[in-house]
Every structure is written in C-alpha cells, then in structure tokens.
Amino acid sequence: MITYEGRRLGELAAAGRWPELLGLFRRMRGTSPRAAGPVGHLIAYGAPPEVAARLFDGDAGPGTAAGEHDCDAGPLWEVLAARHSWRRLAPLLEPAPVRRLAVHTRALLGDDPAGCAEADPEGVPLVLQPWEEAGWEASCRVREYLPRGGARRALLALPATREDLGPLDLPSSGNEVHGQDATRLLAGLAPWLQAVCVRGTAPDAAARLAPGRSAFAGHLPFAAAYPALVQAASGLPALGSAHGRLAVWRLLTAMTGARRPAPAEVDALVGRLRCLTWADPRDELWHLHLALEDPATGLAWAVTGSTEP
C-alpha cells in the first residue's frame, strides 16, 4: 500500500531534492531509526554519491549517521555500493566498517578496488579468487535493489535441483570431533543451520545429519557450493553479501588451522576439498545440505538446515 508519506518521499526523490531528504533522514535517524530506513534507501539508491555517502557521516550530530546495521530491504551501504564503483566511493565514505563492507560488495560485483583501498583488516583479499567467481553470475551475488524500496534476490539453495544426484548408501557416521572453530563458524553462518565435524570422509559427516541411512546425493566442486554459503550468511535484511563473503573466508581460514587468511593456503584447501550435497524431502524453499572433506587432515564437516527465505 502506497501511503501519502511514501508518495511525498517519492516526489522529493524524483525532483532531486536530495539535501532535503538527507536532512529528513537525519532527523528521523535520531528518533526512529527503523522509520528512517525507507528514506535512507531512496538516498542510497538515487542520490549522487557525494550526497548519498553523507548518510554515514556524523557531521549533523550524534545519532544522525547511518551505520553498518541500518537497513530497509537491505543494508544502506550495500544499496549505495551496488550503485557506484569503488573509485567513486573511495574518497567519500569515511567510517571504517562501512568502507570495508562496501569494498567487499564491489569485489563481489566484479570491481577491482585493490589499487584504491586499504588492505582488509583480517587479510581477506579485495578481489575475488577464481573459485569465488566460478559458481554464479555477478548479477546474482548482491540483492537487486529497486528505486523506491524493496529488492529482488536469486534463491541459491543447495542442492538447487535433484539433477546430477543419485542414491547413496551412507556409512556408519564417523567419530565426532568436538571443539573445532570451523564447526562453530559453519553452524554460525545462519541461525537455521546445524553443523558437525567428524574424523572421516564427506559421507561419514553427512551420515550424522542426513535423514535415514541412505540419501539422494551427489559430489560437486566447492566453487558450486560457495554461493549458497555466502547467501546463507547474508540472509537477514541487515546483512549484505559482503558479510557472507567475510564469514566464508573465516570458515575456510579456520579449516586450514590458521588465524588469518592466507589466500594461497585457502586456495589449496578449496582445491582439495571433497564436497557432497544431498536432498531432504523436508526441504523448504531455502535449504543447505553440504559435507566438506579435507583429505589432508582427515576431517570432514557437514552442515544442514532449511527455512523460508
């Protein structure tokens, strides 16, 4: 339902009265942050970047600036980063958390911000590795935001279909390994996921979480599973795809046993991972069933869950 207030805001945006909308956002942000979201979306989407970047500046006083958690259909920083190259945004965005997330958003969209951005504080590369690009089109990596509010998003469930899956008799589940950081990070990608680590193979890990002693399953390269992991970790409106990318890099880094990402080590891990996905008849529209086996360590992880998007 389009309200009078919504029409008025749309008219201001259509007339290019961005400073007026920015002032309104700041007044609302100080008293009712959630109500300010739609105004922020209009500015982040349609205003010139010189104006839109000021959403995140605190020059109007405490409590008036948007932060990394301000959102409408998605985070305001992601709306802005989806609209402009990093070269345009680099001299304009000031808050470090917002800059970082915007940089990784631009990387997901195929931009190369490495030459005009500070190094990531965790050491995550500012350009996509080949395995990060391989499994999906650039147009699917970030929500598609609409001018007057709302967003569209490709639904990247795993497995996406039952094609290329076949019957698999699962072994007795492997011996569970407790206390692994990677297990915690895998389960923490989304609130609807559970994860386990075993000493054994991908089927051993899957047997811990798959229903029954057999499954309709299939092997796949990690690059094909990566998009679903990123999307699971960025499913909430206040989270963007950059959050998902950073979460998956933390997960892979933990699987290597390191504390900071070393791209060469993560690339080597990705290259040797043996991945298995399976179907579950209880699946909702958004589901994730994946086992990841590292033959170098003899450890395997499985993660599973299903929810409405």
Side-chain angles (χ1 to χ4, degrees):
M1 180 177 179
I2 300 176
T3 64
Y4 169 78
E5 183 67 17
R7 285 197 300 270
R8 186 175 76 87
L9 294 175
E11 290 168 358
L12 291 174
R17 294 166 65 176
W18 301 116
E20 188 172 340
L21 280 169
L22 179 61
L24 176 62
F25 172 84
R26 287 172 164 175
R27 290 192 298 274
M28 296 176 69
R29 176 64 177 74
T31 58
S32 181
R34 289 188 64 182
V39 184
H41 180 103
L42 287 173
I43 298 168
Y45 185 95
E50 293 77 10
V51 176
R54 293 180 62 199
L55 284 167
F56 307 98
D57 292 346
D59 56 354
T64 60
E68 59 183 302
H69 301 297
D70 286 82
C71 65
D72 184 38
L76 298 185
W77 52 263
E78 186 173 71
V79 180
L80 177 60
R83 299 287 292 163
H84 304 284
S85 71
W86 180 246
R87 192 168 295 278
R88 291 289 305 277
L89 295 175
L92 304 173
L93 281 175
E94 294 184 4
V98 171
R99 284 181 65 85
R100 183 191 188 201
L101 292 166
V103 164
H104 286 284
T105 301
R106 292 308 312 170
L108 282 161
L109 291 170
D111 205 346
D112 184 356
C116 52
E118 53 274 15
D120 182 81
E122 290 184 51
V124 178
L126 299 183
V127 294
L128 298 187
Q129 305 297 91
W131 50 267
E132 293 184 272
E133 295 181 299
W136 50 353
E137 298 294 330
S139 60
C140 298
R141 298 173 192 165
V142 175
R143 294 178 182 96
E144 179 191 356
Y145 290 101
L146 306 178
R148 296 293 179 258
R152 290 189 286 258
R153 192 178 200 186
L155 192 62
L156 301 174
L158 188 70
T161 71
R162 292 172 67 91
E163 293 181 12
D164 300 323
L165 303 183
L168 175 67
D169 291 328
L170 296 173
S172 298
S173 57
N175 295 324
E176 189 168 353
V177 178
H178 298 281
Q180 291 286 313
D181 286 343
T183 311
R184 174 182 56 82
L185 292 169
L186 189 56
L189 291 178
W192 45 274
L193 292 174
Q194 59 177 314
V196 68
C197 177
V198 304
R199 190 163 297 282
T201 65
D204 291 330
R208 283 273 178 175
L209 299 179
R213 300 271 30 104
S214 63
F216 211 63
H219 293 275
L220 72 166
F222 181 79
Y226 174 74
L229 293 170
V230 171
Q231 193 175 86
S234 56
L236 300 176
L239 300 179
S241 295
H243 285 108
R245 182 180 187 232
L246 292 170
V248 175
W249 270 87
R250 292 185 194 108
L251 167 65
L252 295 172
T253 299
M255 286 182 172
T256 69
R259 292 191 175 274
R260 284 180 58 83
E265 291 185 19
V266 171
D267 288 351
L269 170 69
V270 167
R272 67 177 182 262
L273 282 175
R274 297 169 181 168
C275 304
L276 178 76
T277 187
W278 67 92
D280 187 325
R282 302 167 296 181
D283 283 339
E284 301 287 348
L285 291 177
W286 196 0
H287 53 269
L288 174 61
H289 312 298
L290 179 67
L292 304 162
E293 173 192 342
D294 182 0
T297 62
L299 297 177
W301 290 264
V303 61
T304 190
S306 179
T307 188
E308 291 286 346

